[in-house]
Amino acid sequence: MLRSKIAGIGHYVPENVVTNDDLTKVMETSDEWIQERTGIQERRYGTKHKETTSTMGTAAAKIAIERAGIQKEDIDFIIFATLSPDYYFPGSGVLLQRELGITNTEIGALDIRNQCSGFIYGLSIADQFIKTGMYKNILLVGAEMHSMGLEFTTKGRNVTVIFGDGAGAVVLQPTENENQGVLTTKLHSDGTYAEKLAMITPGSHGGYHFDKMGIDMDFGWTDEQYGEIFMNHHQIDNNMIYPVMEGQFVFKLAVKKFPEVIMEALQTAGLEVGDIDMLIPHQANLRIAQFVQRTLKLSDDQVYNNIQKYGNTTAASIPIALCEAWEQGKIKEGDLVCLAAFGSGFTWGSALIRW
Ligand code: COA
C-alpha cells in the first residue's frame, strides 16, 4: 500500500523581530502579562512591499523542494493553508505558483481555510491524493502575514499580542516503505462556536448569523449597516475589521480537544502515548501546550515548542516547529511524530507520521 512521506521540509520567518516591549508602545500591555499568559517573548512581522503570505510561503517552499531533491517543475499539486491571504480572492496557492515560476498549468492549486488546523487538514488531503496514486510531489504550505490585519490598540490587545508572521512547507511523496510515512490523520469540526474566534468583516453575512444565533458581537450594527456587504465605512471607522476572540472559551476547549484527538489517532494506529517520540502541538499558547503535555504525561524532550520566539503563526506554526525540530536533530528516521491542532471554526485534528 502506498503511504505519503515528508520528502522535504522548509520554513521562513521574517527578519523583523517585535518584542513584547515594542507592543507596549502602541497598546496597554506588558511583557510580564504576555509571557505569563502565553509564554510569548517576541514574534516576527513581515515588511510591507517585501513580504506577503504567499512570498513567505514561497521562501519556505523553495527550501522544502530543494531538500526533497526535486525541481519546482516536478510539483504536481499545491495546497496552501492560510487565514491571512494576500487577496480575498484569488487564493494564495496560485500566487505561490507564480512566485515559484511554475508555468505548468497541468497542476492544481487548492486553498485551505481551516485556520490553526489548516496544515493538518492539508496534510490529510495530500495524503489521500498520494495514497490513490493521483499525485507524486505535493507541495503543502502553511503561511501567515497576520501583522497586516491586527488591531494595534488596547481594544485589540488580547488577540494582537498572540499572533506572528511566518511560513512552513513540506513536499509529500509516495513511499512503499511500510515503516515510514503518514500513519493516520484525524479531522474534526464544530460550527456551533464559529464566532468565538473569528474575523467577520469583510464578509457577506449581512447580519444573518447574529440574528439567527442571537449573537451580540457588541458592534451595535443597524439594519442599514448590515445591508452593505463585505465592508463599509462604519465597520472601518469602528475597528470592526479585526479578529475577535473569547480567549478563555477557546482555552478551555483547546485543552480538552488536543489530548482527545491525539489519543484518537494513537488508537487508530494501535499505538500508545509512550510511543510518541515528538509531539508538535500547534503553537497557540505555551500554557495550552504545557497543559496537554501534563495531561498526556509527556517528557520535555517529547514536545517541541517555539511560540516563545514566533508567537502563534496559525497555519504556519506546525510546519515551522516541525522543521526546526528536524533541523535541530530532535526528529530522526523511524521516530513517531504526532501533530495536533485546534483553532477557529472550531476545527481540530491530528496526524501521526513515522519519520
Ligand atoms: N495585555 C494586558 N492585559 C490584557 C491583554 C494584554 N495583551 N489582553 C487582555 N488583557 C486583560 C483583559 O482586558 C482583562 O482585563 P479585565 O480583567 O480588567 O477585564 C484581563 O486581561 C483578563 O482577560 P482574559 O481574556 O480573561 O485573560 P486570559 O487569562 O484568558 O488570557 C488569553 C487571555 C488570550 C491569553 C487566553 O485566554 C488564551 O490564550 N486563550 C486561548 C487563545 C488561543 O489559543 N487562541 C488561538 C487559538 S488557535
Side-chain angles (χ1 to χ4, degrees), residues 219-227 234:
F219 287 172
W221 287 15
T222 64
D223 277 354
E224 205 176 310
Q225 284 149 0
Y226 285 146
H234 177 83

Side-chain angles (χ1 to χ4, degrees), residues 140-210:
L140 168 61
V141 178
E144 304 286 356
M145 180 97 161
H146 284 306
S147 58
M148 294 289 286
L150 294 170
E151 185 176 4
F152 289 96
T153 68
T154 297
K155 179 173 154 283
R157 65 184 175 179
N158 68 322
V159 173
T160 301
V161 300
I162 292 178
F163 293 97
D165 300 345
V170 294
V171 171
L172 290 143
Q173 289 177 349
T175 175
E176 289 187 8
N177 181 348
E178 282 179 18
N179 299 315
Q180 195 184 25
V182 177
L183 306 184
T184 186
T185 55
K186 298 287 173 191
L187 305 179
H188 291 274
S189 65
D190 180 357
T192 316
Y193 307 112
E195 291 82 7
K196 296 284 184 195
L197 174 50
M199 182 171 142
I200 57 166
T201 303
S204 57
H205 63 92
Y208 171 82
H209 300 291
F210 299 171

Side-chain angles (χ1 to χ4, degrees), residues 39-295:
I40 299 166
Q41 295 165 10
E42 58 190 39
R43 73 285 293 142
R44 306 292 179 98
Y45 285 171
T47 303
K48 231 165 52 166
H49 294 293
K50 183 177 156 218
E51 283 151 330
T52 73
T53 293
S54 70
T55 70
M56 290 190 289
T58 304
K62 282 182 179 167
I63 300 167
I65 290 169
E66 197 192 329
R67 287 178 174 166
I70 60 166
Q71 305 297 316
K72 62 181 195 288
E73 290 75 20
D74 299 321
I75 298 295
D76 45 17
F77 195 61
I78 295 168
I79 304 178
F80 201 121
T82 186
L83 68 65
S84 50
D86 294 18
Y87 299 139
Y88 193 88
F89 72 85
S92 300
V94 293
L95 299 178
L96 172 128
Q97 179 187 13
R98 185 170 73 185
E99 281 291 308
L100 274 176
I102 298 177
T103 50
N104 176 10
T105 56
E106 299 301 311
I107 71 169
L110 174 71
D111 286 84
I112 304 232
R113 301 274 319 256
N114 289 87
Q115 296 67 250
C116 301
S117 38
F119 186 81
I120 290 181
Y121 266 72
L123 183 69
S124 185
I125 292 167
D127 187 36
Q128 312 314 311
F129 276 133
I130 297 242
K131 277 190 201 148
T132 59
M134 181 143 174
Y135 296 122
K136 294 193 168 44
N137 285 297
I138 299 183
L139 176 62
L140 168 61
V141 178
E144 304 286 356
M145 180 97 161
H146 284 306
S147 58
M148 294 289 286
L150 294 170
E151 185 176 4
F152 289 96
T153 68
T154 297
K155 179 173 154 283
R157 65 184 175 179
N158 68 322
V159 173
T160 301
V161 300
I162 292 178
F163 293 97
D165 300 345
V170 294
V171 171
L172 290 143
Q173 289 177 349
T175 175
E176 289 187 8
N177 181 348
E178 282 179 18
N179 299 315
Q180 195 184 25
V182 177
L183 306 184
T184 186
T185 55
K186 298 287 173 191
L187 305 179
H188 291 274
S189 65
D190 180 357
T192 316
Y193 307 112
E195 291 82 7
K196 296 284 184 195
L197 174 50
M199 182 171 142
I200 57 166
T201 303
S204 57
H205 63 92
Y208 171 82
H209 300 291
F210 299 171
D211 296 346
K212 189 174 175 195
M213 305 292 294
I215 295 168
D216 177 10
M217 301 289 278
D218 199 26
F219 287 172
W221 287 15
T222 64
D223 277 354
E224 205 176 310
Q225 284 149 0
Y226 285 146
E228 272 184 65
I229 62 166
F230 286 118
M231 183 149 45
N232 61 31
H233 287 292
H234 177 83
Q235 293 157 357
I236 296 169
D237 295 346
N238 290 283
N239 278 8
M240 295 174 179
I241 53 167
Y242 298 109
V244 288
M245 174 174 73
E246 270 187 44
Q248 292 201 11
F249 192 92
V250 177
F251 195 102
K252 283 179 194 155
L253 218 54
V255 293
K256 189 165 170 276
K257 294 299 177 191
F258 268 101
E260 261 179 35
V261 78
I262 292 168
M263 292 310 296
E264 188 190 358
L266 287 167
Q267 213 163 20
T268 299
L271 295 164
E272 292 171 5
V273 174
D275 295 320
I276 296 176
D277 293 298
M278 182 55 76
L279 169 67
I280 309 278
H282 160 55
Q283 300 293 288
N285 178 326
L286 190 60
R287 307 299 159 228
I288 294 177
Q290 287 167 337
F291 198 100
V292 174
Q293 179 179 341
R294 277 199 303 276
T295 306

